[in-house]
Amino acid sequence: MASSMARVTELNTQRAEKELAAWGTLDRPLPEELDPSEIWWRDRYNQLSTLGYRLRPRYSPEWVPSWKALKKDWADCEDGKRLEFGQIIDATRVLDGRVVTLKRVSRMDQPYEVEIGVYFSSEPLISDPANHCVPIYDVLSLDDDDDDTAILVMPLLRAYTDPNFDTIGEAVECFRQLFEGLQFMHRHHVAHRDCMNRNIMLDPTNLYPELFHPVETSLRMDYRGRAKHLTRTQRPPKYYLIDFGISRRYDPSDTNPREVPIWGGDKDVPEFQNSNQPLNPFPTDVFYIGNAIRKDFLLKKRGFEFMKPLMADMIQHDPDKRPNIDEVVSRFNDIRCELSGRKLRSRPVDIDEGLVDRVVRTTSHWSRRIVFIVRGTPAIPNAPDI
């Protein structure tokens, strides 16, 4: 119970921070009022429809709030939810009915995001299983906008830690994919420069057979109950690195590139604290991934002690002392091979988990664990071929 309350408090704090960033105040508009970022999308509803992408009813020029006719509370209606991030919206691709994500990008503010995203989404890179860069399905230009604005069409993704990991083995496969994905970027001479935990996502297609609402992700798309999901052991997801807004691609001959520090979402980077001296961004990427795992697993869960030595090296204060990503992958493979089946099938336990939660979760976990053992389901889920 204590862990559940702490999670609610954390989510409320994050929501307040996002609201303050979006509107400059914690006084939110009325549910039937669109904020400025939503108005931008509404004004382009018809043009996007012509291009084959249909926004949700809330963003139609003809929208009438459904709760007024249904005599319901706005919070109980699908169209009562506003965007979490104003530059990102979901849409239905008319061609096949697939729900996708549209991201509004300024070519001036993020000059390399389109270029790098399209690069990793082109052949032969897009077909490489080691590629964990979010796929770019299309790049749209709108008639009424200047050349500065581009809209990236991407899959609908979900935060990589949601739903919770059911086993240590599921997390181990996640770590493997993250290291593999960063190694793939570095081998192609691209530094992400902001690969912190909020820029790590998963493809929910297999986990959520009936999908979920893009904003209220705990509910079904139609708002008729909670979104049901399977475990990662049952339906292994693929993990992706997103947001190439400050990423850089270098010439292969430049073996030691230098960049003036630019702050990403993780403010813990040691080399950025007291200096603007140009630095090699690749060791900073290693820090970002290591710190994400440290924050989301080592500091919040029991059972990941085997990752502590590697994480400690990845987040060393001196970037020159950190292992490069090839060394990280090699060391992690050795660690993974030493883990027993019993360890891999065990349950990650929240550090602040209460007695009641522990009993309920352990009972549920063991009921699944026994079935997986009997069926011979791998303790480390196999990565999907996407």
Side-chain angles (χ1 to χ4, degrees):
M1 186 64 68
S3 61
S4 298
M5 292 300 295
R7 178 58 175 163
V8 170
T9 300
E10 180 183 1
L11 290 174
N12 288 338
T13 301
Q14 291 177 359
R15 184 170 299 171
E17 291 174 350
K18 293 172 184 174
E19 290 174 2
L20 188 60
W23 302 302
T25 175
L26 294 180
D27 296 327
R28 302 187 64 175
L30 295 174
E32 60 268 28
E33 297 176 342
L34 301 185
D35 65 50
S37 64
E38 292 182 301
I39 292 173
W40 191 93
W41 290 107
R42 181 205 61 191
D43 290 347
R44 290 153 181 82
Y45 179 94
N46 291 329
Q47 190 174 171
L48 288 169
S49 294
T50 301
L51 293 172
Y53 299 96
R54 184 176 63 250
L55 304 182
R56 281 183 287 116
R58 179 179 176 88
Y59 304 104
S60 168
E62 287 78 36
W63 174 60
V64 176
S66 64
W67 58 88
K68 293 188 175 182
L70 298 173
K71 306 299 182 183
K72 297 173 66 176
D73 189 288
W74 67 268
D76 296 327
C77 297
E78 181 280 325
D79 58 345
K81 298 297 180 182
R82 63 182 71 253
L83 299 178
E84 186 174 12
F85 301 101
Q87 75 276 25
I88 298 175
I89 197 169
D90 58 281
T92 299
R93 189 164 60 187
V94 178
L95 178 65
D96 55 8
R98 179 169 184 166
V99 180
V100 297
T101 296
L102 307 182
K103 181 179 181 181
R104 178 186 177 190
V105 173
S106 167
R107 297 178 187 271
M108 181 178 296
D109 295 337
Q110 297 97 27
Y112 303 105
E113 180 154 15
V114 175
E115 173 192 333
I116 290 175
V118 170
Y119 171 65
F120 282 115
S121 294
S122 62
E123 293 291 356
L125 302 187
I126 190 63
S127 297
D128 193 321
N131 184 353
H132 293 268
C133 297
V134 59
I136 306 298
Y137 296 150
D138 202 353
V139 180
L140 309 178
S141 296
L142 302 181
D143 295 337
D144 58 346
D145 289 305
D146 56 36
D147 293 336
D148 179 60
T149 301
I151 297 178
L152 303 181
V153 182
M154 303 173 287
L156 176 68
L157 302 178
R158 191 177 179 97
Y160 86 115
T161 56
D162 187 19
N164 289 328
F165 288 84
D166 193 47
T167 68
I168 298 293
E170 291 178 356
V172 166
E173 172 58 16
C174 172
F175 302 158
R176 185 197 69 78
Q177 290 192 40
L178 297 185
F179 295 150
E180 178 182 67
L182 187 59
Q183 182 184 48
F184 186 82
M185 292 189 71
H186 285 192
R187 285 185 172 178
H188 287 85
H189 315 288
V190 176
H192 189 289
R193 305 182 74 204
D194 194 19
C195 46
M196 45 87 73
N197 52 10
R198 293 184 186 177
N199 286 333
I200 303 171
M201 308 288 280
L202 62 78
D203 182 347
T205 306
N206 293 329
L207 279 175
Y208 289 82
E210 298 180 0
L211 210 54
F212 52 88
H213 192 276
V215 179
E216 196 64 52
T217 57
S218 64
L219 299 180
R220 290 170 43 174
M221 178 68 80
D222 59 9
Y223 251 53
R224 297 179 179 176
R226 297 190 66 81
K228 296 181 180 179
H229 63 84
L230 301 169
T231 69
R232 299 163 202 252
T233 299
Q234 293 168 307
R235 299 288 181 86
K238 181 163 184 174
Y239 298 89
Y240 287 107
L241 297 171
I242 68 166
D243 193 353
F244 307 122
I246 58 175
S247 300
R248 293 293 183 273
R249 182 182 175 190
Y250 303 99
D251 188 281
S253 63
D254 189 355
T255 58
N256 190 25
R258 290 287 191 268
E259 292 283 356
V260 174
I262 181 169
W263 288 100
D266 186 340
K267 309 304 181 185
D268 295 339
V269 182
E271 54 266 37
F272 290 180
Q273 300 302 319
N274 300 303
S275 173
N276 286 321
Q277 178 183 354
L279 297 166
N280 188 328
F282 290 101
T284 307
D285 276 0
V286 171
F287 175 90
Y288 280 135
I289 288 290
N291 206 35
I293 293 175
R294 183 183 72 91
K295 287 183 174 181
D296 291 338
F297 295 89
L298 274 63
L299 297 183
K300 293 184 177 181
K301 309 281 185 181
R302 293 188 176 91
F304 294 99
E305 295 78 11
F306 59 91
M307 291 293 290
K308 285 185 177 180
L310 178 57
M311 294 304 99
D313 285 346
M314 292 176 68
I315 64 172
Q316 286 199 75
H317 189 274
D318 184 350
D320 291 334
K321 294 182 179 180
R322 296 172 198 154
N324 62 41
I325 192 60
D326 290 334
E327 294 168 335
V328 169
V329 169
S330 178
R331 287 178 57 180
F332 177 73
N333 286 338
D334 291 340
I335 293 171
R336 186 177 55 161
C337 289
E338 294 176 356
L339 299 174
S340 67
R342 180 176 181 179
K343 176 65 174 180
L344 292 168
R345 293 190 188 278
S346 63
R347 182 176 72 89
V349 178
D350 291 345
I351 288 178
D352 58 354
E353 185 175 85
L355 179 59
V356 175
D357 285 340
R358 179 170 300 184
V359 171
V360 172
R361 293 172 184 174
T362 300
T363 301
S364 176
H365 170 80
W366 268 99
S367 66
R368 292 186 295 273
R369 179 173 177 175
I370 292 172
V371 172
F372 294 149
I373 292 174
V374 171
R375 291 179 177 176
T377 304
I380 299 180
N382 295 319
D385 294 325
I386 298 179

